[in-house]
Amino acid sequence: MDLELAAARWNDDGFVVLPALLGEEDLGAARGDVASMFPTADDFHDDLEPERNAPLRSEFGGIVGFPFAGVELGLLAVHPILVELAQTFLRTDDVRLSSAEAWAKYTGAATYDQAHHRDHLSHTVLVPSDDPAFAHLELFVYLVDVPVELGPPAFVSRAAAGHRPVLPNWYPRRAGAPDPDAPSWRSTDAHPELYEAEVRAAGPAGTVIAYSTSTLHRATELTAPRGARFTLHCTFRPATAPWAARRSWVEVANDEEWHAFVARATPRQLELVDVPPPGHPFWTADTLDGLARRYPDLDVGPWLVASRAAD
């Protein structure tokens, strides 16, 4: 896959579909984690565990945030291929992971069909920028095959969308009422042209969909009988754009799952979640001692070696 060409497509169109960018060997262990996190399609549709299924019967009930109970799925979010993609698209080696979520959807569990919208309201305190130096790169990673019948996201190219101000943000197919809590967010006019121009990003397992927080897109309905869709949603940003951060990792830094991820991740992968790399001025004898005490299962050797080399 020519990532430079893909980056140009992403920059021009606002999205690009990369079929089977990740191979079976990349997905295998992470799929095992998904199987332990969510019911299978048959288990859900047979309602074998009603209490487990209950939260999944809402539009966003199938979302589980990073860090995950399974370390392998967390490591997939910082897979070298995805990191290289983010560096290429954002035109910098200094990138950060600003969010990661696993998402399960089941046919008939909820109404997933959405109006076209952009994601900037939930990803930044400011507004979206199309300059790669300040952009937010969102990725859908398909953990299973996602044909049209399993509700792939739909996207509208920048050319087809035309210039639209940051608000309203939601554009319904038919004229509708504004959001009573945020009346300026939703257009009251119909926008059928967006739905006529949309591209449904179906693809096999391992497909990666890259898009921007300024790209119009929407979720589509699952129609396959007894169907299920499992995806990983990752977002990267340039390190120099801290205002484009959906999550603060401090919120989860004392969780058991976070500690398990830290113990398995490389220094480069930890840098993606805001841990300074070996050799950074933050690291002193005291802070390195503190790092080893807070994360006793982490190999702090790379940080110690770099610190000694600097002395």
Side-chain angles (χ1 to χ4, degrees):
M1 174 63 65
D2 187 333
L3 290 183
E4 287 289 348
L5 180 59
R9 287 280 306 278
W10 173 74
N11 191 59
D12 291 343
D13 293 340
F15 73 96
V16 64
V17 180
L18 306 172
L21 182 66
L22 297 175
E24 289 295 322
E25 66 280 5
D26 302 311
L27 300 176
R31 281 174 166 168
D33 289 346
V34 170
S36 66
M37 292 168 59
F38 300 112
T40 65
D42 285 342
D43 287 352
F44 178 85
H45 291 292
D46 291 338
D47 207 21
L48 294 185
E49 299 181 71
E51 290 187 8
R52 185 186 188 192
N53 288 352
L56 302 170
R57 298 188 185 281
S58 64
E59 183 179 3
F60 301 112
I63 295 177
V64 175
F66 174 88
F68 308 114
V71 177
E72 299 297 339
L73 187 58
L75 293 174
L76 182 62
V78 290
H79 192 285
I81 292 176
L82 300 185
V83 175
E84 182 184 6
L85 186 156
Q87 292 172 331
T88 303
F89 281 36
L90 297 173
R91 303 299 181 191
T92 177
D93 290 340
D94 198 7
V95 298
R96 296 290 182 270
L97 181 74
S98 65
S99 70
E101 299 166 335
W103 200 344
K105 291 184 175 184
Y106 300 87
T107 304
T111 299
Y112 298 114
D113 196 71
Q114 293 179 328
H116 274 294
H117 63 282
R118 296 159 295 200
D119 281 348
H120 67 280
L121 292 176
S122 59
H123 283 69
T124 176
V125 297
L126 299 178
V127 296
S129 170
D130 294 331
D131 184 336
F134 308 114
H136 222 153
L137 174 67
E138 297 189 73
L139 304 177
F140 267 115
V141 180
Y142 292 174
L143 303 175
V144 296
D145 294 344
V146 182
V148 170
E149 296 78 15
L150 285 182
F155 299 89
V156 180
S157 71
R158 286 182 171 144
H163 176 72
R164 297 172 190 262
V166 295
L167 293 176
N169 187 57
W170 291 76
Y171 296 90
R173 188 192 303 266
R174 290 172 287 277
D179 184 330
D181 296 322
S184 67
W185 287 10
R186 182 180 293 274
S187 172
T188 57
D189 299 325
H191 298 271
E193 73 282 358
L194 298 177
Y195 300 80
E196 294 167 2
E198 72 181 19
V199 175
R200 296 201 180 193
T207 292
V208 176
I209 316 297
Y211 63 108
S212 167
T213 52
S214 63
T215 303
L216 283 170
H217 69 286
R218 70 184 187 96
T220 65
E221 202 64 80
L222 278 71
T223 60
R226 297 174 62 87
R229 192 198 86 178
F230 304 100
T231 58
L232 178 65
H233 186 198
C234 312
T235 308
F236 291 88
R237 64 171 176 86
T240 52
W243 55 84
R246 189 178 188 191
R247 293 283 303 275
S248 167
W249 301 125
V250 176
E251 298 170 2
V252 295
N254 296 307
D255 294 354
E256 179 180 341
E257 295 84 357
W258 174 266
H259 279 248
F261 171 78
V262 168
R264 287 282 306 281
T266 65
R268 176 67 184 110
Q269 290 172 324
L270 291 174
E271 188 179 359
L272 297 170
V273 291
D274 293 314
V275 175
H280 190 280
F282 174 80
W283 298 117
T284 64
D286 284 342
T287 56
L288 284 169
D289 177 69
L291 181 70
R293 290 175 184 274
R294 183 164 185 175
Y295 301 109
D297 294 327
L298 172 65
D299 176 12
V300 298
W303 286 269
L304 289 170
V305 169
S307 179
R308 290 168 185 155
D311 290 341

